Amino acid sequence: MTITQRLRCDQTPAWAALQHRFADTGRKLDLRDAFAADPQRFTEFSQSAPHVFADLSKNLIDAATQQLLFELARECRLQQHRDAMFAGEKINHTEQRAVMHWLLRSPPGAAAKHLATEAQQVHATLDAMLGYAERVRADSAITDVVNIGIGGSDLGPQMAVLALDAFATMGKRIHFVANVDGHELAAVLARVRPESTLFLIASKTFTTIETMTNARSAKQWFENQGGQNIARHFAALTTNVAAANEFGIDTTFGFWDWVGGRYSMWSAIGLPIAIAIGAAGFRDFLAGAHAMDEHFRAAALEQNLPVRLALLDIWYRNFHGFTSRSIAPYHSALRRVPAYLQQLEMESNGKRVDGAGQALPFGTSPVLWGEPGTNGQHAYFQMLHQGTDRVPLEFVAVKKARHELAGHHSQLLANVLAQAQALMVGKADDGGHRHFPGNRPSTFLLLDDLTPASLGALIALQEHRVFVSGALWGINSFDQWGVELGKVLARDIEPRLHSGDASGLDGSTAGLLQRLRSV
Ligand code: F6P
C-alpha cells in the first residue's frame, strides 16, 4: 500500500464521528468530574510498555472518545502502514527510501529473510564500531572526544551521553560542536590538546555546510598545533564514506540511506554514546529500544502505548486545537530531551501537504518545547497554570535516584506529582488573580530507573508515536524538504557579505546586509 492509497484521517467516518463527539461532550469534559464518576479511571487510562509506565488518566478523554480514536487508526490502516515500515517498504516515498532505523536495534538473527543482507551489514558495522569504542575507552592517551555534527548527528548522541552520565565509566570528556558559529568550536579547541583528542565528524551526508566548516577548521587547528596522525585522531560517521575519505579521513563507520538523520543515533552516529558507556551499555540501549519496537509491532492498538499517545496528540491538535505540547523531564540528566524531541517531531511532522502533495485542511506537528523540572516551574509554569492557552504537558519522572544526597529525590518526585495534580484540580478563588482554573491536561511517563535500556525504550516510544500521528495525517514523516530553501539562500548570501552586492535582494535583506558590512 502506498502512502497515497491510505485514507487520510479527515476522510474517514471516524473523523466525522469524533467531530460530533467533540462538539457534544468532548470539549466540555472536566477531569475532576471524570475521576469522581469513575474510580477505575487511573487503571483504565494507564498503560505499561517495556521500561515505561504511562498514566494517561489526566488527559481530556473518555472511553467513548478513545474508542473512536482507535477506530480512526483502523480506518486509516495504521497497522498496514506500520507493517510496511517493518517490512522495509519504501514508505519515504518522496525520497524513495525505506525507513528502517528499527533494524539497527534488532538482535542478530531476528530480521526477516528478505532483510538478511541489511541486517548482516548492520551487525558487522555495529561490531566494528563497538570494538573501536572499546579501544578508545581503553586508550588513556585520549582524554577528550569532540563530536562535530548538527541536527540528528548531534542532538541524539548529545542527549543520550548526558542522560547516561551515571554509566560513563571511563571518564572521557565528550564535547559536542554543532553550530557554524565559530565561538562554539573555538571554546572547545581552547580546552583540548591535539595529542589527546579524538574528533568524530558525524554527518549522514558529509555535505552539511556547518559540519564541513567545523570539520575543516578542526583539522586545520590539529595540523597547526603539530598534530600528525589523522588516522588516530579523526573518525567519520557517515553514509558517504567516499566523501569522508576525500576529506582525508580513513577511519570511517558507515550507515545507510534508510536511516533518517533524526533517527540515526542507533547507528554509527551513536559512537559518542558507545565511547561514554561502553559496548555492553550501547547494546543495552539498543535492546531497550528493540523491546519498544516489538511492543509497537505486536500490541493491539488498545494496549499500544505509542498508538495511545499519538491518538491523544491528534485529539488535542485537531479537535481541541492545541498548538503546542510541553515536555517536562523531572531528571536533570534528561535536560536535552526537549531539544531532541523538537527535531524528532517537528522535522518529521511539520508538513503541510499529504502524500499526494495536496495542502492539508488541518493542523499537523505541534510546537514542542520544555525544560527540566523543577526549573521550568520557576519560569514558565505560571502560564501553564493560569495562562489563556491550554498546553498539554508531558511529565517524565524516574523512580530511582542514582545519588546519595538526602531529601532531594523525594522533593523532586513530590514536585512532579504536585504539578500534575495542580494543573488538573486547580483552586477556586473568586475567579481573580489567585484562581487556578484546573482541568489542564497532562501525561505522566514513569521509568523505574534511568538506564541505557530504559532510555532506549523511551526514545523508541517517541519515534513510534511520531510515526503514528504522521501516518494518520497522511504525511511523509521521513523527509525534510522544508530545511532546503534557507540552505540555498545562505549559499547565495555569503559571497555578498564580502562583495556588498545586494542586487536582486528584497529590501530588508539588502538593508541588513549593508548594515552588517558597514564599519
Ligand atoms: O538540515 C536538516 C538535516 O538534514 C537534518 O535532517 C539532519 O539531521 C541534519 O541536517 C544533519 O545532516 P547530516 O547528518 O547529513 O550532516
Side-chain angles (χ1 to χ4, degrees), residues 402-470:
R402 285 182 171 265
H403 62 76
E404 304 293 330
L405 299 171
H408 287 255
H409 203 56
S410 54
Q411 274 196 45
L412 182 71
L413 294 180
N415 270 281
V416 65
L417 286 173
Q419 290 299 323
Q421 184 188 28
L423 285 165
M424 176 174 76
V425 300
K427 180 170 168 283
D429 195 298
D430 294 339
H433 298 289
R434 289 165 198 263
H435 180 75
F436 290 74
N439 203 30
R440 303 207 160 193
S442 66
T443 292
F444 199 107
L445 302 181
L446 181 60
L447 311 181
D448 282 341
D449 192 4
L450 181 56
T451 63
S454 69
L455 181 71
L458 179 70
I459 299 302
L461 167 67
Q462 301 288 348
E463 288 179 348
H464 295 319
R465 165 217 211 137
V466 167
F467 174 90
V468 173
S469 48

Side-chain angles (χ1 to χ4, degrees), residues 150-153 203-205 208 261-262 343 347 480 483 487:
I150 197 165
S153 300
S203 175
K204 177 177 170 182
T205 54
T208 304
R262 54 193 172 274
Q343 186 194 17
E347 200 175 66
Q480 56 283 320
V483 302
K487 292 184 191 175

